Amino acid sequence: RINRALDDGESICIYGDYDCDGVTSTALLYTFLSALGGFVSYYIPNRATDGYGMNFKAIDKIKADGTDLIITVDNGISSIEEAEYIYSLGMQLIVTDHHQIGENLPRAEAVINPHREDNEIEFRDFAGVGVAFKLACALYDGDVEDLLEDYADYVTIGTIGDMVPLLNENRAIVKAGLKLINTDAKIINKILTFISRNVLITSPRFLAFTYIITSIIKIITVSPASTPPELPPSPSSSIEKLYKNQKIGIGKDKNHIK
């Protein structure tokens, strides 16, 4: 179904999540499908107004943007009613998620979840970004090593951030990702650029996320022989100043970018 959407120039929307795993999942699949020539947009819910997972208001907005196919990352496995609503509007859905499965699966062209009983896999404890990466591997015609070079850093940050077990494939991918980050710590620029399109740079969410990611990168990229770097200044003082100056606000909705 995804290949057909790419071939036919259909509009694809990646429906992500606002945490570290959800953001890296969204960034990975958005970047990958765009590199294949896809017409791709993404939607990251607002934690305060949307909450976790799919919601009807967001689906209406995605439909109004002319979307044909929605692909979830790090969510969707429990969105039974929302999935039916998507089809009632003439769109189609593919679910990729790593959360535990309920009694029923949502209506979709495909439901990709390592916890499905019909999966013949030994390891199932992927983060959402790990599932998104496995989907990219299935779609890619070349050597998977190429994808590791391009996306292991995304998977590493999301996997560590979601605190899934660093075993089996997770361990192998994180090892590759840390090596990549140590060689070229471009992940911080890629993720922060992606985040800045969704959250005002003056918001506490952006400042806190910047602090966390910068801290992680500085810690994991320091060599054993060198002196551990000082952590970046806490964003709390900046946040207090912004509140005092009344500069913080959600402002115009920037969640959906084409």
Side-chain angles (χ1 to χ4, degrees), residues 29 46 52 55-56 58-59 63 69 88 92 102 104 107 110 114-115 123 136 147 161 181 189 191 204 229 242 244 249:
L29 203 53
N46 183 293
Y52 170 77
N55 68 82
F56 296 106
I59 293 170
K63 172 63 177 178
L69 176 65
S88 74
Q92 293 184 323
N104 298 306
R107 179 182 178 184
H115 299 291
F123 185 73
L147 294 185
I181 291 170
N189 292 322
I191 290 184
L242 288 169
K244 187 175 293 184

Side-chain angles (χ1 to χ4, degrees), residues 211 214-216 218-219 229-234:
Y211 175 74
T214 305
S215 300
I216 291 174
K218 283 184 175 292
I219 290 171
E230 294 183 6
L231 291 178
S234 169

Side-chain angles (χ1 to χ4, degrees), residues 176-194:
L178 292 178
K179 181 179 179 181
L180 182 61
I181 291 170
N182 274 309
T183 303
D184 179 7
K186 63 183 182 298
I187 182 65
I188 188 169
N189 292 322
K190 291 191 292 187
I191 290 184
L192 292 181
T193 298
F194 195 86

Side-chain angles (χ1 to χ4, degrees), residues 9 26 47 49 76 80 100 117 138 163 168 190 206 210 221 243:
T26 304
R47 188 186 194 112
T49 59
I80 307 298
Q100 292 296 325
E117 293 182 358
M163 296 186 291
N168 205 289
K190 291 191 292 187
F206 182 81
T210 303
T221 57
Y243 270 119

